[in-house]
Amino acid sequence: MNQALEDAKNRMEKAVKNLKEEFSHLRTSRASLALLEGIKVDCYGTKMAIPQIATVNIIEGKTIVIQPWDASLVKEIEKAIQKSDLGINPTSDGKTIKLVMPPLTEERRKELVKIANKLAEEARIAIRNIRRDVLEKFKAAKKKGEISEDDYTQLEKKVQKLTDDYIKKVDTVLKDKEKEILSV
């Protein structure tokens, strides 16, 4: 039964990790390399992520500078950024591309907070589903006589505590992201 608890803990940890990954793709007024990871560029007949074909740096927290290893890719990178949902127009001098993060409007901030809340709720649901799955395993074991009623009650309490802890982690991650989105 400890294996089932450990498995549940690992799965809940993954749910929180996935939430953090999703949050890294939400654009705030601060520059982040994670914003570029989902943007694919037509390059030598295949689609590649910008960090795979260029040096990417952040200057003063508000500007992303992209320097392609092959200068002929500048136009392709610009096109890919414009097609993406970043909402930023790149500027280029023919060798490097700059993305200046514009300040977010109040309306856009509220929209991003709603998206963040939705993603957090999905993570909470995933954690509750994991709780349900593991409790069903324990009920089946109790039915078969593999564990006693007292053991079942103890395991149920442990699973609930684990669930509560991971829901708190989701809430903390959400609170931090909201603070980041709403900060000017």
Side-chain angles (χ1 to χ4, degrees):
M1 293 303 126
N2 285 335
Q3 181 61 40
L5 276 174
E6 193 60 35
D7 180 49
K9 181 179 177 183
N10 290 338
R11 289 173 58 200
M12 288 179 185
E13 188 65 43
K14 251 185 219 170
V16 173
K17 186 179 175 189
N18 287 342
L19 177 65
K20 289 178 182 177
E21 175 71 22
E22 290 287 328
F23 278 177
S24 73
H25 296 291
L26 279 182
R27 184 175 82 78
T28 60
S29 56
R30 201 174 314 140
S32 164
L33 298 180
L35 295 172
L36 300 177
E37 289 179 10
I39 301 174
K40 303 291 182 194
V41 179
D42 287 323
C43 172
Y44 313 118
T46 63
K47 296 251 184 202
M48 297 179 82
I50 293 173
Q52 293 176 321
I53 57 172
T55 302
V56 183
N57 293 305
I58 295 177
I59 300 173
E60 297 174 12
K62 299 268 186 203
T63 306
I64 299 174
V65 179
I66 304 165
Q67 193 164 11
W69 297 321
D70 181 351
S72 67
L73 295 174
V74 170
K75 292 285 181 216
E76 287 298 322
I77 294 172
E78 282 185 79
K79 277 189 224 169
I81 291 169
Q82 288 168 341
K83 286 181 187 175
S84 75
D85 60 357
L86 269 185
I88 303 172
N89 266 334
T91 56
S92 168
D93 62 7
K95 294 180 185 146
T96 60
I97 300 165
K98 287 185 180 177
L99 299 174
V100 179
M101 306 306 283
L104 296 171
T105 64
E106 191 62 33
E107 185 179 316
R108 180 67 177 145
R109 287 177 197 276
K110 288 177 182 174
E111 193 177 308
L112 288 172
V113 167
K114 280 183 186 175
I115 292 168
N117 275 295
K118 180 177 173 270
L119 293 170
E121 185 56 30
E122 288 170 6
R124 286 186 205 100
I125 289 168
I127 289 168
R128 288 186 205 111
N129 286 341
I130 295 165
R131 174 189 62 194
R132 185 196 64 224
D133 292 347
V134 77
L135 286 176
E136 284 175 5
K137 284 181 187 174
F138 294 156
K139 280 180 187 170
K142 183 178 80 170
K143 220 177 217 182
K144 291 178 187 172
E146 295 171 2
I147 59 173
S148 69
E149 184 69 41
D150 289 344
D151 289 341
Y152 174 77
T153 304
Q154 289 299 317
L155 289 168
E156 190 177 36
K157 285 179 185 174
K158 284 181 182 178
V159 171
Q160 187 58 51
K161 182 177 177 351
L162 190 65
T163 303
D164 293 343
D165 291 347
Y166 278 94
I167 296 285
K168 280 181 191 157
K169 285 183 182 185
V170 166
D171 292 341
T172 302
V173 171
L174 173 62
K175 202 175 291 175
D176 292 345
K177 190 62 178 183
E178 283 179 338
K179 201 179 295 177
E180 182 184 333
I181 291 169
L182 296 173
S183 69
V184 178

